[in-house]
């Protein structure tokens, strides 16, 4: 097994995980072997999560501070923001079109889920609050609470300030963060070795915990979202990649396979970040500078799959409620879906909670929405796995496209 490439090992683990998961689903999960297997998954995710904050912090600082030329920094920043916005909007339009065409919410009766406790879903606040909350009151609190947007804001600001220092202070700080970053990447390397066994545990748990009855009730809704995500990840993004880099997208997808599988099994862009960074650097040969600039921010800010989901989800809700959205309201959905995807944390089901931002923006009452969101939550896991995979794939394509536009040579080893 160890001679196989890592992504093949992970792939095989996923298949075995599905088999074991089905077994435990049928024969009960109350036993020692099940707990041992699933705890591998928990350990793997905890290890990844452990390094996220220092990884994001150091990589953004060195990414920003290493670009001394402020016009280059500005150019990279604009390209990155353009890429994030453009691909997310594309995804949203796919979601909007498909849900309007398929109408998955029309005629659905979700009465049986009435026992759902809406207070379990904390509503996320207004779109303006998302932007204001990017500025952390205390960067140490942001770090200990895992407030990624806050950490990113502080790290970018600190990185810019370090690049403007002169002489000794600049080199001391740059060297320190660079060395720290290298150490964290070494930790990543060790953790990734555990990916096959970790993924096995995660998939076993996901499969064994899934009940199929509820899936059939909202099957059309799930199929619509899955179709939208497939169009984005298998058609739109590869075409964009091909046009911009002139490289066969299959090569890129192969190079990113370990990151994609990790995203799929952890449902967390943030937890996947260390693996994404490693794949982008080692396999695609993209420079440290671009990787550190584009990916950590992308893991929190650029979520195409989530953006598609926010939009499609709200149109679905409106269909279940029997409310026809006006053109202006649909436009509001597009813009707030974008904001919600930016504000969503890179953790499981974060996108589902953010849906309240969009429903509030179009004037739906939280009580009406909560019941439907309850059902959506019950079937969220597989959709979350898929959209997280789309999210990190888009991040990696962003890194590749931006690196290429900066004159880097991608896939130098063929
Ligand atoms: N789980 C997703 C991610 O980490 C966010 C979401 O729930 O859409 O990228």
């Amino acid at each position: 097994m160890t001679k196989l490439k890592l992504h093949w090992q992970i792939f095989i683990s996923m298949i075995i995980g599905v088999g074991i998961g089905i077994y435990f689903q049928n024969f009960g999960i109350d036993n020692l072997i099940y707990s041992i297997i699933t705890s591998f998954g928990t350990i793997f995710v905890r290890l990844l999560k452990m390094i996220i904050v220092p990884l994001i912090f150091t990589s953004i600082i060195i990414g920003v501070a290493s670009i001394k030329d402020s016009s280059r920094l500005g150019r990279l920043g604009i390209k990155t923001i353009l890429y994030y916005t453009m691909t997310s909007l594309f995804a949203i339009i796919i979601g909007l079109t498909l849900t309007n065409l398929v109408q998955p919410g029309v005629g659905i009766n979700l009465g049986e889920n009435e026992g759902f406790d809406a207070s379990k879903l904390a509503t996320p606040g207004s779109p303006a609050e998302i932007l204001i909350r990017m500025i952390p009151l205390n960067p140490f609190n942001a770090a200990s609470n895992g407030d990624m947007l806050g950490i990113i804001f502080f790290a970018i600001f600190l990185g810019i300030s370090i690049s403007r220092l002169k002489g000794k202070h600049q080199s001391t700080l740059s060297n320190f963060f660079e060395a720290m970053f290298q150490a964290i990447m070494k930790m990543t390397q060790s953790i990734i070795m555990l990916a096959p066994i970790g993924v096995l545990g995660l998939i076993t748990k996901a499969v064994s915990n899934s009940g199929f009855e509820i899936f059939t009730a909202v099957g059309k809704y799930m199929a619509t979202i899955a179709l939208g995500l497939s169009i984005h990840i298998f058609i739109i993004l590869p075409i964009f990649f091909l046009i911009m880099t002139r490289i066969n997208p299959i090569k890129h997808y192969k190079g990113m396979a370990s990151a994609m599988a990790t995203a799929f099994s952890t449902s967390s862009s943030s937890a996947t970040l260390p693996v994404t960074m490693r794949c982008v650097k080692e396999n695609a040969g993209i420079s440290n500078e671009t990787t550190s600039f584009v990916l950590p921010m992308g893991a929190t800010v650029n979520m195409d799959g989530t953006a598609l989901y926010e939009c499609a989800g709200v149109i679905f809700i409106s269909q279940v409620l029997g409310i026809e959205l006006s053109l202006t309201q649909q436009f509001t959905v597009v813009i707030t879906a974008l904001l919600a995807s930016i504000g969503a944390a890179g953790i499981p089901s974060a996108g589902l909670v953010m849906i309240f931002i969009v429903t509030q923006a179009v004037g739906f009452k939280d009580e009406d929405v909560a019941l439907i969101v309850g059902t959506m939550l019950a079937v969220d896991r597989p959709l979350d796995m898929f959209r997280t995979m789309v999210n990190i794939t888009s991040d990696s394509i962003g890194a590749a496209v931006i690196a290429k536009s900066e004159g880097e040579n991608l896939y130098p080893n063929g």
Side-chain angles (χ1 to χ4, degrees):
M1 184 103 166
T2 47
K3 284 215 187 86
L4 274 180
K5 280 217 166 120
L6 185 70
H7 60 263
W8 283 117
Q9 293 184 32
I10 297 177
F11 187 65
I12 294 169
S13 299
M14 287 174 110
I15 296 173
I16 300 176
V18 172
I20 302 181
I22 292 174
Y23 172 84
F24 282 118
Q25 196 190 37
N26 290 318
F27 295 99
I29 57 174
D30 231 355
N31 60 63
L32 184 65
I33 300 188
Y34 178 80
S35 343
I36 293 176
I37 295 179
T38 51
S39 62
F40 291 145
T42 314
I43 292 171
F44 178 56
V45 171
R46 284 187 77 104
L47 284 168
L48 285 171
K49 283 190 178 164
M50 177 181 78
I51 56 173
I52 299 168
V53 170
L55 179 65
I56 292 196
F57 193 63
T58 52
S59 62
I60 291 187
I61 290 175
I62 61 158
V64 174
S66 61
I67 307 168
K68 306 259 167 9
D69 169 2
S70 61
S71 68
R72 166 134 201 267
L73 185 65
R75 198 176 65 225
L76 262 182
I78 289 173
K79 277 184 197 172
T80 309
I81 291 169
L82 256 182
Y83 175 85
Y84 290 169
T85 326
M86 213 184 72
T87 51
S88 297
L89 277 177
F90 237 111
I92 292 174
I93 304 292
I94 297 174
L96 184 72
T97 316
L98 279 181
T99 27
N100 275 315
L101 282 178
V102 180
Q103 310 233 318
V106 174
I108 284 197
N109 179 10
L110 297 176
E112 75 270 21
N113 209 37
E114 242 140 10
F116 178 69
D117 177 9
S119 62
K120 270 194 252 152
L121 295 172
T123 46
S126 73
E129 273 165 24
I130 294 184
L131 295 176
I132 292 173
R133 270 206 315 255
M134 279 183 150
I135 306 171
L137 282 178
N138 175 344
F140 295 100
N141 271 349
S144 58
N145 295 332
D147 160 17
M148 296 307 166
L149 288 179
I151 300 171
I152 291 172
F153 183 88
F154 182 76
I156 293 178
F157 204 169
L158 183 60
I160 294 176
S161 306
I162 292 175
S163 73
R164 290 157 104 197
L165 289 174
K166 299 256 167 340
K168 198 176 87 193
H169 291 326
Q170 198 214 48
S171 55
T172 310
L173 280 175
S174 298
N175 289 341
F176 170 76
F177 285 117
E178 172 71 38
M180 191 69 192
F181 171 71
Q182 294 301 345
I184 303 282
M185 283 313 278
K186 275 267 174 287
M187 290 171 87
T188 305
Q189 209 173 333
S190 320
I191 296 169
I192 290 176
M193 308 292 273
L194 301 175
I197 188 135
V199 164
L200 177 88
L202 291 168
I203 296 285
T204 300
K205 188 165 181 183
V207 172
S208 60
N209 285 345
S210 58
F212 287 108
E213 308 77 42
I214 185 120
F215 288 91
T216 46
V218 285
K220 208 165 161 196
Y221 150 78
M222 296 181 74
T224 312
I225 299 209
L227 178 65
L229 293 172
S230 305
I231 295 176
H232 194 65
I233 195 172
F234 296 122
I235 300 176
I236 306 294
L237 287 177
I239 291 179
F240 184 70
F241 176 83
L242 180 68
I243 295 173
M244 299 304 282
T245 64
R246 307 260 157 220
I247 296 170
N248 185 347
I250 295 176
K251 183 183 279 179
H252 183 70
Y253 279 55
K254 265 195 193 152
M256 297 305 127
S258 301
M260 287 162 88
T262 309
F264 187 78
S265 34
T266 58
S267 284
S268 167
S269 299
S270 295
T272 310
L273 177 67
V275 190
T276 323
M277 287 182 82
R278 189 148 181 276
C279 287
V280 162
K281 280 203 305 191
E282 306 260 308
N283 303 346
I286 296 172
S287 70
N288 227 340
E289 216 171 59
T290 311
T291 310
S292 303
F293 192 87
V294 180
L295 288 183
M297 230 183 301
T300 308
V301 173
N302 179 44
M303 294 189 175
D304 295 5
T306 304
L308 186 152
Y309 177 76
E310 300 296 327
C311 176
V314 172
I315 308 281
F316 169 74
I317 292 173
S318 75
Q319 290 169 353
V320 176
L321 294 175
I323 302 171
E324 184 96 24
L325 291 179
S326 68
L327 218 58
T328 333
Q329 278 178 313
Q330 301 224 6
F331 182 72
T332 310
V333 169
V334 170
I335 300 302
T336 39
L338 179 66
L339 271 173
S341 73
I342 294 173
I347 54 174
S349 282
L352 182 60
V353 180
M354 292 309 266
I355 230 159
F356 282 103
I357 291 212
V358 193
T359 53
Q360 280 167 359
V362 284
F364 295 174
K365 284 206 218 81
D366 281 352
E367 311 87 79
D368 294 341
V369 173
L371 176 67
I372 308 170
V373 171
T375 307
M376 290 160 78
L377 183 65
V379 297
D380 193 47
R381 189 66 189 195
L383 293 178
D384 195 10
M385 294 162 103
F386 197 180
R387 63 180 188 257
T388 308
M389 190 169 91
V390 175
N391 291 346
I392 70 96
T393 307
S394 170
D395 294 340
S396 78
I397 290 187
V401 166
I402 291 167
K404 183 78 182 179
S405 75
E406 290 290 308
E408 288 186 32
N409 182 18
L410 307 189
Y411 289 95
N413 304 325

